[in-house]
Amino acid sequence: GAVVSQHPSWVICKSGTSVKIECRSLDFQATTMFWYRQFPKQSLMLMATSNEGSKATYEQGVEKDKFLINHASLTLSTLTVTSAHPEDSSFYICSARAGGQSEKLFFGSGTQLSVL
Amino acid sequence: AQTVTQSQPEMSVQEAETVTLSCTYDTSESDYYLFWYKQPPSRQMILVIRQEAYKQQNATENRFSVNFQKAAKSFSLKISDSQLGDAAMYFCAYSNTGNQFYFGTGTSLTVIP
C-alpha cells in the first residue's frame, strides 16, 4: 500500500515557539492531504484539508493563523503550529488521498506535540 | 451533514472468538464509501476493510468482514477467530465523492487471552 511519512514523531517545545510538522507521500502523488488532531481516547478531529497549489480549507473553529498549512508540492504538506501554547499539546495526524485511488486515505504515523 | 455513530465505546472478546462492532451513519447521498480503520497502541491508523456503497456484496478481508445494510445505514465489522493483535481502537469512517472523510468516535477492543 501507499506510504505516508510524517515527521517528527514526537516534539517538545517551549510555550511561544513554533513547530513545523511534515507529511510526505513517498510513493504516490497526493492531490489532497488532511490534517487531524486527536486527543487521548478520542476520535480524529479534522482540522483542515489542503490541496496542492491552493489555500487550505479549515474546519470551523480552527484558527488558520495559528495552524498554518502549506501544500507546495504533490508529495509534501506541512503544518506549522505558531506560537504554541500548552493547550495545543495533542497528537496530530496527517493523511493523504492518492489521485488514482480517490476513495482511500493513507495515514502518517502521527506527531505527539507537547508544549511546556 | 454526514455523521458516523459508533455506539459501543468499549468491547471485549475472548481469543479465538468472534466479535461484531457496530456503526451507523447518516447521509443523503447514494454514492459513497465506508471504511473500518484500526488504531493500535502505536497510534498508526491502518485500513482494515473498505466497502463501496454501490456494491451489494459485503466486503471481506481474511478474518474481517462487514455487514453492510444500505437501507438501514448500518455498517458493522465482524472479526472472526480474534487474535491478541486485534486489540486496538476501531474507527468507522464514511467518505463521499466530494473529498470528505468523517470518522466515528471509535470502539476500544480488548482481546482476552
Side-chain angles (χ1 to χ4, degrees), chain A residues 3-74:
Chain A
V3 177
V4 174
S5 175
Q6 183 174 347
H7 291 283
S9 57
W10 189 21
V11 58
I12 302 173
C13 69
K14 290 183 179 180
S15 185
T17 60
S18 295
V19 174
K20 180 185 283 189
I21 303 170
E22 290 190 350
C23 182
R24 294 180 185 273
S25 56
L26 297 185
D27 52 359
F28 67 100
Q29 293 185 328
T31 53
T32 304
M33 287 187 172
F34 303 89
W35 287 95
Y36 294 89
R37 184 172 180 175
Q38 185 180 31
F39 292 104
K41 298 187 178 181
Q42 293 190 22
S43 188
L44 282 68
M45 182 187 77
L46 179 65
M47 299 175 66
T49 302
S50 71
N51 294 295
E52 184 267 335
S54 63
K55 290 184 178 180
T57 302
Y58 290 82
E59 295 299 300
Q60 192 172 10
V62 178
E63 300 176 58
K64 61 181 180 181
D65 293 331
K66 180 167 189 62
F67 299 99
L68 300 179
I69 291 173
N70 185 285
H71 193 162
S73 76
L74 285 171

Side-chain angles (χ1 to χ4, degrees), chain B residues 41-112:
Chain B
S42 68
R43 295 194 286 187
Q44 172 72 59
M45 294 287 283
I46 302 166
L47 177 63
V48 175
I49 200 165
R50 174 176 62 101
Q51 174 82 43
E52 294 95 332
Y54 65 85
K55 289 188 177 179
Q56 291 187 330
Q57 186 173 8
N58 290 324
T60 62
E61 287 287 341
N62 300 314
R63 299 182 294 107
F64 299 89
S65 62
V66 299
N67 183 2
F68 174 46
Q69 302 290 326
K70 191 172 184 179
K73 296 180 182 175
S74 170
F75 182 61
S76 60
L77 174 70
K78 186 172 81 171
I79 306 174
S80 304
D81 185 27
S82 297
Q83 300 175 0
L84 295 178
D86 295 334
M89 280 289 285
Y90 286 81
F91 292 99
C92 178
Y94 165 99
S95 173
N96 58 18
T97 54
N99 215 29
Q100 297 287 335
F101 267 80
Y102 301 89
F103 288 87
T105 51
T107 297
S108 177
L109 179 65
T110 300
V111 180
I112 304 166

Side-chain angles (χ1 to χ4, degrees), chain A residues 70-92:
Chain A
N70 185 285
H71 193 162
S73 76
L74 285 171
T75 59
L76 174 65
S77 176
T78 60
L79 168 67
T80 301
V81 183
T82 61
S83 186
H85 291 283
E87 57 267 27
D88 299 323
S89 298
S90 186
F91 189 64
Y92 294 87

